[in-house]
Amino acid sequence: GVVDSGSSLILLVYALVVVIFAAWPIITLAYTSGLKKTNDISQSVRSTQFLQTSLFVYFGQWGVIAVLSATKPPAIIGIFAVCLQVSVFLDFFMRIAGSLYSHRIRLAYETMSIENFASQVEKIARAIAAASGIAFVVLLVCAEFVFDAFGFTDDRFYYMFFVLITARFVNNLFGLTDAFLIMTNFQREYKWIIVISSSIAFAVACLGSVLPIEVVASMVALTIVLRNVLASIIIYWRSGLIMLPLFVRAVR
C-alpha cells in the first residue's frame, strides 16, 4: 500500500503506530535504572535488557521509515522500505548465532582464559561471515527479481538495495559484538551505542525533505555499521579484546 499514492491516510495511521512502538524501547533504554554491572552470570535475560534492545533495533528501522513518510513521496518510501527490510535477511545468521551462543559466551567469558575465549569467538565470527557472504551474493543476484516483483520503476532502487545489504554484510563480519556486550555485563555501554546510532538515523530521516533519498539510505547504512564499530571499540577498551572482521585477539 505504501507504493500506492492513494494510501496516504493508511500510511499516516501506520506511521503513527510504528512511531509509538519505536519510541517505547528507546525511552525505556535511555531511562532504565536496572543496568547495574554485576559478576553474577545467573542473572536472567530479561535483566540484561536483551528483549528491549532487540525490540528497539527492529522497530527503530520502521520508525525511520515512518519519519521519512512525512517528507518523501510514498513511491520512494516504498522502495526504501523494501530495500531495508530485504537487507534484514542478512541478519538471519547473526540472530541464529546470537540465540545459540549468547549464554555460552556469557559463561565462557566468566570461566575461560581470555585467549581461549577469543579463539572461540573468532570461530563463531568466521562461521557467521561465511553464511552471511553466501546470503549477500544471493541477494545481489536477486536484485533484478526484487525490482520486478514489486513493480518498481525507479532505478534508485539498485543504489539503495546495494548500499543497505552491503552495510548488513559488513556489520555481520564483526561477529557477535552486540551479544558480547549484552551478555557480559557491558549492557550500559551497548545501550548508549544503540541510542547514539539510532538517534543519528532518526536525525537523517528528519532531514529527508532536504536530502536526496540516496544520501538518507547511505547514512542509515553507516549507522548500521557504526553500531559494531563502536561496540568493537568498547570491547577493546573494557576487556582488551580486538574484535575486527574475521580477527579476534586478546591483547591484555
Side-chain angles (χ1 to χ4, degrees), residues 185-228:
N185 303 327
F186 299 127
Q187 302 98 325
R188 187 187 304 272
E189 288 81 355
Y190 188 64
K191 175 193 72 172
W192 289 112
I193 288 173
I194 293 297
V195 170
I196 291 169
S197 61
S198 300
S199 297
I200 294 173
F202 277 110
V204 171
C206 291
L207 295 174
S209 59
V210 296
L211 295 176
I213 192 64
E214 297 94 332
V215 175
V216 174
S218 298
M219 292 302 296
V220 170
L222 284 176
T223 62
I224 292 173
V225 178
L226 180 65
R227 285 200 297 267
N228 265 356

Side-chain angles (χ1 to χ4, degrees), residues 49-118:
Q49 308 298 315
F50 190 87
L51 175 61
Q52 294 173 14
T53 303
S54 299
L55 281 173
F56 177 73
V57 170
Y58 179 74
F59 284 113
Q61 62 191 6
W62 283 104
V64 170
I65 294 170
V67 172
L68 277 175
S69 68
T71 59
K72 295 291 186 185
I76 198 65
I77 295 298
I79 294 175
F80 177 79
V82 168
C83 291
L84 187 59
Q85 293 307 302
V86 170
S87 73
V88 172
F89 283 113
L90 279 169
D91 281 345
F92 176 76
F93 302 103
M94 180 76 79
R95 300 282 72 86
I96 291 295
S99 299
L100 292 175
Y101 291 104
S102 288
H103 286 287
R104 296 183 187 181
I105 286 174
R106 187 178 187 176
L107 180 61
Y109 183 72
E110 297 290 343
T111 59
M112 296 173 61
S113 69
I114 195 69
E115 291 79 11
N116 290 337
F117 177 78

Side-chain angles (χ1 to χ4, degrees), residues 13-29:
V13 174
Y14 171 76
L16 291 175
V17 172
V18 169
V19 166
I20 292 172
F21 274 102
W24 171 72
I26 193 170
I27 292 172
T28 305
L29 280 170

